Amino acid sequence: MAEIVLDGVDKIYGGGVKAVDDLNLRIEDGEFMVLVGPSGCGKSTALRMIAGLEEISGGTLLIGDEIVNDRPPKDRDIAMVFQNYALYPHMTVEQNLAFGLKLRRVAKPEIARRVKEAAEMLGLEPYLKRKPGMLSGGQRQRVAMGRAIVREPRAFLMDEPLSNLDAKLRVQMRASLNQLHERLGVTTVYVTHDQVEAMTLGSRVAVLRDGRLQQVDTPKRLFDAPVNLFVAGFIGSPAMNFVDAEIGADGDGAVLAFADHELPVLAAQLESRPALREYLGRRVILGIRPSDFNDAEFDGNGDPTIRITADVTEELGTEINVIFAVDAPPVRHEDAAALARDAAGDGDELDDSLPLSRNRTRFTARVSPRSQVRPGSQISLSVDVSQLHFFDQDSGLAIGHPANV
């Protein structure tokens, strides 16, 4: 095993296009690090530079205590698992698992031992004599992982290995990956565009945008304390709600006004984030996670409420998503625009002035499944104001975040 260090790493393509820009990241020995971000953010390029499949334009890359900038992939002692399984169709599962070891002229008894252990670990024993065409997608991906495991490398590099699987299989494979990492303890760098996958797999998660690292932290810290508007909106499903709000003094605390609603800012929040006091009498971008709402009828905490009309309800069994509009225009900030483009999925900015919202801001609240809310009905939503997020309107940085002080 080994730690991986990227020190000021750049990747510049023809025409001066920077795919990765001054990336500084230390991946600890035995850590499961996930690189996540929208399409084109540089995450796969960073992984390919670690693998040696892309040349580094600038900076230093270390695996263990060795600089490997110019070392070919075969000499880096890493194993890679790709989105496509890349199995040899004419070989059996057993032959696929053993092939790389044979090329390295590993002794036959050692090959047999490693193949047997990997097959047991991944539940592949019944399929060892089958060829890939006789396997399901999930079984093929397990073979691809087994081929990496038998190498016994210093690090695993995984490039969206679950993206070709259906939703149920992806959940199962995520659990298998977690178990494998617990058992093997090998340094793993995992690339995905799926933030749910990132949050459930990563010891730490690195969020990238336009080739630059935005924030790296544990999944919980990313969710609870995002460093900026982009990270706040990218991490979490459904996404955080944003709206422009004015923050004014109110005794020892403060009050937030947006659209036709008001919410208190607790004195404890002002104490924990002294920088907020500098914004009294000014406008900020307010962020509220869907999970910090509830149907007030089922909230026993006495939280403040806002009265809304539900436009759409999504009944999911364990909760209900309530989609509603507030009478304020959508937030206009480059980070919000980037999130909208990613949500649209086609490179175009999502037009939030659709008939549903009529140039109002759409919110999502996650409420108790016992709620009787239905489309068109009015409901009082309680808001856990201790969990509010505040962002500077110009910079998009989280107000009071330690990294921004």
Side-chain angles (χ1 to χ4, degrees):
M1 295 188 292
E3 74 172 3
I4 299 171
V5 179
L6 295 95
D7 185 5
V9 169
D10 294 325
K11 178 61 185 180
I12 305 174
Y13 289 110
V17 177
K18 269 196 173 183
V20 175
D21 187 1
D22 192 28
L23 179 57
N24 292 284
L25 184 63
R26 180 181 295 273
I27 301 159
E28 303 293 344
D29 189 6
E31 183 173 24
F32 198 123
M33 172 67 76
V34 178
L35 308 182
V36 69
S39 298
C41 72
K43 55 189 184 293
S44 288
T45 302
L47 191 79
R48 290 172 64 82
M49 286 193 289
I50 296 171
L53 302 176
E54 293 275 3
E55 288 187 5
I56 294 173
S57 305
T60 304
L61 173 64
L62 294 95
I63 299 179
D65 55 359
E66 302 170 288
I67 296 175
V68 297
N69 287 35
D70 302 316
R71 187 168 293 185
K74 65 183 181 64
D75 296 333
R76 296 192 181 197
D77 196 14
I78 52 91
M80 196 156 183
V81 181
F82 296 95
Q83 178 178 345
N84 58 343
Y85 316 121
L87 303 177
Y88 295 105
H90 63 287
M91 294 183 183
T92 65
V93 168
E94 186 175 22
Q95 290 168 336
N96 267 283
L97 292 175
F99 185 69
L101 299 179
K102 288 181 179 178
L103 286 182
R104 290 170 177 79
R105 298 181 181 177
V106 176
K108 286 185 179 180
E110 179 65 8
I111 291 176
R113 179 190 70 81
R114 294 193 195 182
V115 168
K116 182 175 183 295
E117 286 184 358
E120 289 175 352
M121 199 180 299
L122 294 164
L124 291 172
E125 303 104 308
Y127 314 110
L128 285 173
K129 301 304 179 184
R130 296 188 188 181
K131 292 182 178 178
M134 302 170 67
L135 303 177
S136 68
Q139 289 164 348
R140 291 181 201 177
Q141 193 55 275
R142 277 188 278 158
V143 176
M145 290 177 185
R147 191 172 50 189
I149 289 167
V150 297
R151 290 268 312 279
E152 297 183 356
R154 291 195 292 176
F156 292 130
L157 308 180
M158 301 188 180
D159 191 2
E160 305 210 40
L162 308 185
S163 59
N164 286 338
L165 306 181
D166 62 39
K168 184 177 179 180
L169 266 177
R170 288 179 75 158
V171 172
Q172 293 173 352
M173 289 301 295
R174 285 205 303 263
S176 297
L177 277 170
N178 268 321
Q179 291 171 341
L180 276 173
H181 185 256
E182 286 293 322
R183 180 167 177 177
L184 298 172
V186 177
T187 307
T188 303
V189 187
Y190 187 102
V191 160
T192 181
H193 67 280
D194 184 337
Q195 56 91 21
V196 174
E197 206 165 275
M199 298 288 277
T200 53
L201 283 172
S203 311
R204 286 190 301 155
V205 178
V207 182
L208 284 84
R209 175 192 171 197
D210 296 335
R212 296 190 66 87
L213 181 64
Q214 302 293 301
Q215 187 175 359
V216 56
D217 216 323
T218 64
K220 180 170 175 53
R221 283 283 299 166
L222 284 177
F223 186 86
D224 291 341
V227 73
N228 59 30
L229 195 67
F230 180 82
V231 175
F234 191 82
I235 297 296
S237 181
M240 185 182 288
N241 305 292
F242 299 115
V243 68
D244 288 326
E246 185 169 343
I247 182 168
D250 183 28
D252 291 336
V255 63
L256 280 162
F258 63 97
D260 52 353
H261 306 294
E262 285 192 350
L263 289 172
V265 180
L266 304 179
Q269 278 189 305
L270 291 172
E271 290 172 12
S272 63
R273 305 182 200 181
L276 265 179
R277 291 196 178 276
E278 300 173 16
Y279 287 81
L280 294 178
R282 296 166 56 186
R283 297 191 71 79
V284 298
I285 297 173
L286 169 65
I288 310 176
R289 290 210 179 274
S291 53
D292 292 325
F293 288 105
N294 201 0
D295 183 334
E297 185 178 344
F298 301 98
D299 174 52
N301 299 321
D303 290 325
T305 63
I306 60 173
R307 189 78 175 165
I308 63 96
T309 300
D311 291 320
V312 177
T313 58
E314 299 173 336
E315 299 189 39
L316 304 176
T318 55
E319 67 261 341
I320 300 173
N321 287 339
V322 180
I323 300 170
F324 61 98
V326 297
D327 195 16
V331 168
R332 299 299 179 189
H333 188 278
E334 61 176 342
D335 285 359
L339 291 164
R341 285 193 296 271
D342 183 56
D346 56 6
D348 296 326
E349 183 171 343
L350 187 65
D351 183 4
D352 210 7
S353 59
L354 295 171
L356 172 67
S357 54
R358 296 185 180 87
N359 204 33
R360 296 186 295 166
T361 297
R362 282 177 287 175
F363 268 36
T364 300
R366 178 174 284 173
V367 305
S368 167
R370 295 177 292 163
S371 174
Q372 298 302 306
V373 62
R374 295 293 181 272
S377 65
Q378 287 196 330
I379 182 176
S380 290
L381 292 176
S382 63
V383 185
D384 184 353
V385 291
S386 69
Q387 300 301 313
L388 298 178
H389 298 262
F390 308 89
F391 304 91
D392 183 271
Q393 281 196 315
D394 296 323
S395 68
L397 296 177
I399 299 169
H401 192 285
N404 301 328
V405 176

